[in-house]
Amino acid sequence: MRTLLIAASLAIVHAAAAAASAGRVVWDIPEALRLIRSADEVYVFPVTVISTSRSTGEVAPRGDYKRVRAIDADARRKLGRLLGSDSSWCHCFDNTAGIPPEPTYVGFIFQKGKDKLVLLRFLRWHTEGTFNGEHTGGSLEEKASDKLDEWEKRYARPERGIK
């Protein structure tokens, strides 16, 4: 019983720390969703998952910013409809853990004027990044994550390592 109580306490502390370090979630920033839908420039790049703690198994995304590539208007419009919709985002606490090795994922940079959103996708539906320099992130709903997989297979093949 004591072990269960300690484990539950650690989980609560870990969740609170993660939420604090992530800043506001993407779906709670109307300007970020608007930017996703209306960005003049959108870029994709590969994202790999790295281990940040062997003892806890925590992981984090790492973007390969040397391989940033602009996407065309059609891809930008479809991505904007998917990620710019509030309903695509999970309005919940998500504590999904990954099992190595993780595949290569894709990151996104959305820009319009002075606004910039960077999102790194990892662990299938998680994202982490910055909006105008402030930490943000969130988790996609499963259906939206599946649609993003399809989008990536069509428009981000080189970044995913798909021939």
Side-chain angles (χ1 to χ4, degrees), residues 8-60:
S9 297
L10 288 173
I12 291 169
V13 168
H14 175 70
S21 68
R24 290 173 59 195
V25 290
V26 174
W27 54 263
D28 192 36
I29 308 172
E31 301 86 7
L33 292 179
R34 193 172 313 115
L35 175 60
I36 291 170
R37 291 188 305 268
S38 66
D40 294 327
E41 303 169 63
V42 179
Y43 303 91
V44 296
F45 52 93
V47 172
T48 55
V49 178
I50 60 165
S51 175
T52 59
S53 172
R54 285 181 166 235
S55 60
T56 63
E58 291 180 45
V59 296

Side-chain angles (χ1 to χ4, degrees), residues 119-131:
L119 288 177
L120 308 177
R121 184 176 182 215
F122 68 114
L123 298 180
R124 188 165 178 235
W125 43 65
H126 288 289
T127 64
E128 192 173 287
T130 59
F131 176 63

Side-chain angles (χ1 to χ4, degrees), residues 2-3 19 21-22 28 30 34 50 53 55 68 85 90-91 93 101 104 112 122 126 135 143 145 152-153 161:
R2 179 177 261 164
T3 303
S21 68
D28 192 36
R34 193 172 313 115
I50 60 165
S53 172
S55 60
V68 171
S85 172
C90 180
H91 294 233
F93 173 73
T104 299
K112 184 173 185 173
F122 68 114
H126 288 289
H135 289 288
K143 189 174 184 178
S145 178
E152 289 177 4
K153 287 174 184 169

Side-chain angles (χ1 to χ4, degrees), residues 61-132:
R62 177 177 287 165
D64 184 351
Y65 297 102
K66 292 179 183 176
R67 294 182 49 202
V68 171
R69 177 178 64 87
I71 60 173
D72 65 31
D74 182 52
R76 194 170 56 231
R77 185 178 59 257
K78 290 177 180 174
L79 184 63
R81 270 190 256 145
L82 176 60
L83 295 182
S85 172
D86 178 69
S87 64
S88 292
W89 295 92
C90 180
H91 294 233
C92 62
F93 173 73
D94 184 358
N95 62 351
T96 304
I99 300 172
E102 282 290 314
T104 299
Y105 289 97
V106 175
F108 307 97
I109 300 172
F110 299 89
Q111 288 183 290
K112 184 173 185 173
K114 65 178 179 55
D115 291 325
K116 181 178 181 179
L117 173 66
V118 178
L119 288 177
L120 308 177
R121 184 176 182 215
F122 68 114
L123 298 180
R124 188 165 178 235
W125 43 65
H126 288 289
T127 64
E128 192 173 287
T130 59
F131 176 63
N132 293 336

